[in-house]
Amino acid sequence: MNQKPLVSCIIIFFNGGEKFFVEAIESIFAQTYDNWELLLADDGSTDESTAIALRYAQQYSEKVRYVEHEGHQNRGMSATRNLGIRHAKGDYIAFLDADDIWMPHKLEQQVPILESHPEAAMLYGRTQFWFSWTDNNPVSSSNHIDEQGDLMTITSVEFDRLLKPPTQLLLFLQNKEIYPCTCSILIRRQVFDDIGMFEEDFRNAHEDMVFHSKVFLKAFVYVSSQCWDKYRIHPDSYWRRADMQGKGVEIRRIGHIKYLTWLENYLSEKEIKDPMVWKELKKALWPYRHPILHGIVHNQGLKLQIIRLGKRIARWILPTSIRPWLKDYMRLLVIQNSVKHVSGLKKINFSDKDFITLCVVKNGESFIKSFIEHYFSLGAKHIVVLDNESTDRTIFIASQYSNVTTLKIKYKAANYKTAIKQYLTQRFAKNKPYLIAEINELLDSPLKEEKEKEHVFPCTASMK
């Protein structure tokens, strides 16, 4: 008799086609962990995917079951996940969409983690956004960006540890980029009995975060730095079709409003009074509830007029000796209140002999990987990257490294050079040796030689 816990693997599908759907199923059969069952939950497909699912269920009846809604209805992703959950027999449940895949070692590595952390309701790791799925080696265990440009989700700022509630919910409310992909999670079956199932009003957008939010509010979760799954990016996916039709932005906006409104009602209904959750929720809702005020606050032209007026008033009433100091101080306040933390450490506690590298960058996708790896090769303990409204993948690439902190800022860095330098050095390099470098600047080997001699590192140099 198999003593390992049974894992119920649920693939929901609606017109999943053949190639992607079969690859998804086969990635479960490729698992090195053998005690699993597979439920193929049909959301009313009208293509060949129904026949494919039935064929697997007939051929592997001891491992695979086919389930569908009454009358072969199409009821959306949440209802179909719930359909699979109701038929699941496992101690643990894991989800996979019909166009994604799992790494072979996913269950073998995930199950022992949850077994060793009984207080955790679920766990998840990082997911690879899979642009290079057309190559001949679809299943890779790489935890870095490959040559085709794949990237990893951010999911958290703390990895390989238990996070208490509601830490992950706060992170998501602060930054919509920080979230777990559903195909990455492993969750205890009991959790669905304790907090409820997926909310069936959410057929598509945000259906996963609605359920995850219920977990994050009440339970510990384990967040891993490992990658166990690949999320395929392809033209026929729900979001890509919406983007190509020019509807993606509006669908995301409406979905986000619906999610935040649901969360507000859920908190009230469950009498959850956590002040930090309510504070972040109100901040997230504010642009939608007060669009005119939000537009005024974020109107750069109006801000410039106010700044110019302030400068004129300052010239009239302030002594000449005070003006430069006040100007620098006000700019530092602006920067302090506008920087957003994306990933990595919020506070760096290293010895005084360790040095860190600081960098302000905009659209540095071509340089960021070599920049980071070069300065680590010279002995940098940590790197801080402040992104200034990049429109490429700079910040995503930087966030792949566990010892890189990534930040975002909207104000033009060229207008706030001194303030940004003050902010970065005061927050991350106070009383520590540091280097401020441009993204296309690589200091040469003398730095490494000096560090090996334990000389004090020149802390304001910017060199090629």
Side-chain angles (χ1 to χ4, degrees):
M1 181 177 178
N2 199 326
Q3 297 301 312
K4 299 177 183 177
L6 176 65
V7 179
S8 296
C9 311
I10 299 174
I11 296 181
I12 66 170
F13 65 96
F14 172 70
N15 293 344
E18 181 177 355
K19 184 176 185 299
F20 296 165
F21 190 24
V22 169
E23 284 185 7
I25 295 171
E26 290 297 326
S27 77
I28 294 180
F29 275 86
Q31 290 298 299
T32 55
Y33 185 93
D34 59 0
N35 196 23
W36 52 264
E37 64 169 0
L38 173 58
L39 293 109
L40 300 173
D42 193 342
D43 192 20
S45 296
T46 56
D47 69 352
E48 68 271 26
S49 51
T50 296
I52 292 169
L54 287 169
R55 185 170 71 245
Y56 271 95
Q58 292 166 4
Q59 186 174 353
Y60 303 99
S61 57
E62 74 286 358
K63 298 286 279 186
V64 182
R65 285 181 285 149
Y66 170 84
V67 294
E68 63 176 341
H69 299 295
E70 184 178 355
H72 202 67
Q73 298 176 71
N74 171 248
R75 295 184 53 191
M77 296 172 69
S78 293
T80 309
R81 293 198 202 282
N82 290 342
L83 173 69
I85 294 165
R86 284 193 293 270
H87 287 84
K89 299 176 181 178
D91 303 295
Y92 297 114
I93 289 178
F95 298 99
L96 180 63
D97 289 342
D99 50 358
D100 303 327
I101 66 167
W102 286 349
M103 307 293 196
H105 55 277
K106 172 187 167 76
L107 297 181
E108 184 178 32
Q109 293 184 359
Q110 284 192 336
V111 171
I113 294 175
L114 270 188
E115 287 284 283
S116 62
H117 292 89
E119 64 272 54
M122 75 178 193
L123 74 83
Y124 51 87
R126 307 184 78 181
T127 295
Q128 183 174 343
F129 282 170
W130 194 20
F131 293 90
S132 59
W133 51 268
T134 55
D135 62 23
N136 295 320
N137 185 24
V139 181
S140 167
S141 60
S142 171
N143 199 28
H144 295 287
I145 303 164
D146 68 14
E147 295 178 342
Q148 304 297 323
D150 292 354
L151 52 89
M152 307 282 282
T153 56
I154 300 171
T155 73
S156 180
V157 295
E158 298 179 272
F159 292 111
D160 302 314
R161 65 188 66 192
L162 279 171
L163 295 184
K164 65 180 180 180
T167 303
Q168 280 295 109
L169 177 58
L170 292 174
L171 289 173
F172 179 70
L173 290 173
Q174 293 164 1
N175 185 348
K176 290 185 289 183
E177 300 295 330
I178 299 180
Y179 63 93
C181 284
T182 305
C183 56
S184 178
I185 73 170
L186 181 68
I187 187 167
R188 299 182 192 278
R189 175 64 180 83
Q190 184 62 39
V191 171
F192 297 98
D193 297 329
D194 294 340
I195 70 166
M197 310 276 263
F198 284 79
E199 299 291 328
E200 299 191 4
D201 285 344
F202 288 80
R203 291 178 59 92
N204 292 303
H206 285 82
E207 103 290 342
D208 50 353
M209 274 311 302
V210 168
F211 173 74
H212 294 158
S213 295
K214 295 195 289 186
V215 178
F216 294 158
L217 277 166
K218 297 183 179 180
F220 282 85
V221 296
Y222 187 93
V223 183
S224 173
S225 60
Q226 294 296 308
C227 175
W228 291 300
D229 44 272
K230 292 190 174 187
Y231 181 94
R232 194 191 308 261
I233 307 296
H234 63 94
D236 292 326
S237 70
Y238 172 79
W239 287 114
R240 281 303 175 100
R241 286 200 306 269
D243 288 336
M244 287 188 291
Q245 294 168 3
K247 301 177 182 178
V249 173
E250 183 63 11
I251 290 174
R252 288 180 177 89
R253 188 186 73 84
I254 293 172
H256 193 222
I257 296 172
K258 184 178 179 181
Y259 161 73
L260 293 173
T261 304
W262 168 86
L263 182 58
E264 183 180 42
N265 294 333
Y266 184 80
L267 294 175
S268 299
E269 177 188 331
K270 300 298 181 180
E271 299 183 348
I272 297 172
K273 304 185 184 299
D274 188 300
M276 286 300 296
V277 172
W278 277 104
K279 177 183 176 182
E280 294 302 330
L281 175 59
K282 288 177 180 178
K283 284 171 63 176
L285 278 166
W286 196 81
Y288 302 120
R289 297 272 171 87
H290 308 283
I292 296 176
L293 285 175
H294 178 72
I296 292 173
V297 169
H298 289 80
N299 186 316
Q300 294 297 323
L302 179 61
K303 286 182 180 179
L304 287 174
Q305 292 180 26
I306 294 172
I307 290 170
R308 287 170 185 153
L309 178 61
K311 286 180 178 179
R312 289 174 185 171
I313 294 173
R315 291 193 195 102
W316 293 335
I317 65 175
L318 292 177
T320 304
S321 59
I322 295 179
R323 292 175 195 169
W325 173 85
L326 182 62
K327 178 181 177 181
D328 290 342
Y329 178 73
M330 293 302 293
R331 288 191 171 188
L332 180 59
L333 285 180
V334 169
I335 297 302
Q336 287 174 336
N337 289 304
S338 61
V339 171
K340 289 188 176 182
H341 185 271
V342 177
S343 66
L345 300 176
K346 290 187 175 182
K347 187 175 181 181
I348 299 176
N349 294 313
F350 298 141
S351 72
D352 294 341
K353 293 183 179 180
D354 295 319
F355 81 90
I356 67 172
T357 301
L358 310 173
C359 177
V360 181
V361 59
K362 180 174 183 178
N363 292 337
E365 179 178 350
S366 301
F367 303 99
I368 188 69
K369 189 173 185 290
S370 58
F371 176 92
I372 290 171
E373 293 179 357
H374 177 78
Y375 283 104
F376 282 145
S377 74
L378 294 184
K381 188 74 174 181
H382 200 81
I383 294 175
V384 179
V385 176
L386 178 66
D387 185 87
N388 189 205
E389 292 195 297
S390 291
T391 55
D392 61 8
R393 298 187 306 145
T394 298
I395 199 163
F396 292 103
I397 295 172
S399 68
Q400 309 310 301
Y401 298 85
S402 60
N403 43 359
V404 173
T405 292
T406 57
L407 311 167
K408 291 174 69 174
I409 190 172
K410 292 192 295 184
Y411 292 98
K412 288 185 178 179
N415 297 334
Y416 291 87
K417 281 184 177 180
T418 302
I420 288 173
K421 178 180 175 180
Q422 283 182 298
Y423 171 81
L424 290 175
T425 55
Q426 288 177 12
R427 178 174 173 183
F428 296 103
K430 195 170 184 179
N431 300 321
K432 295 182 179 68
Y434 65 90
L435 170 72
I436 297 180
E438 299 292 335
I439 191 65
N440 60 345
E441 293 181 338
L442 301 179
L443 190 68
D444 233 337
S445 57
L447 167 61
K448 189 172 183 180
E449 293 169 5
E450 289 298 303
K451 181 159 178 60
E452 288 171 352
K453 296 175 185 177
E454 295 189 354
H455 287 180
V456 176
F457 181 69
C459 63
T460 57
S462 180
M463 304 171 60
K464 289 189 180 181

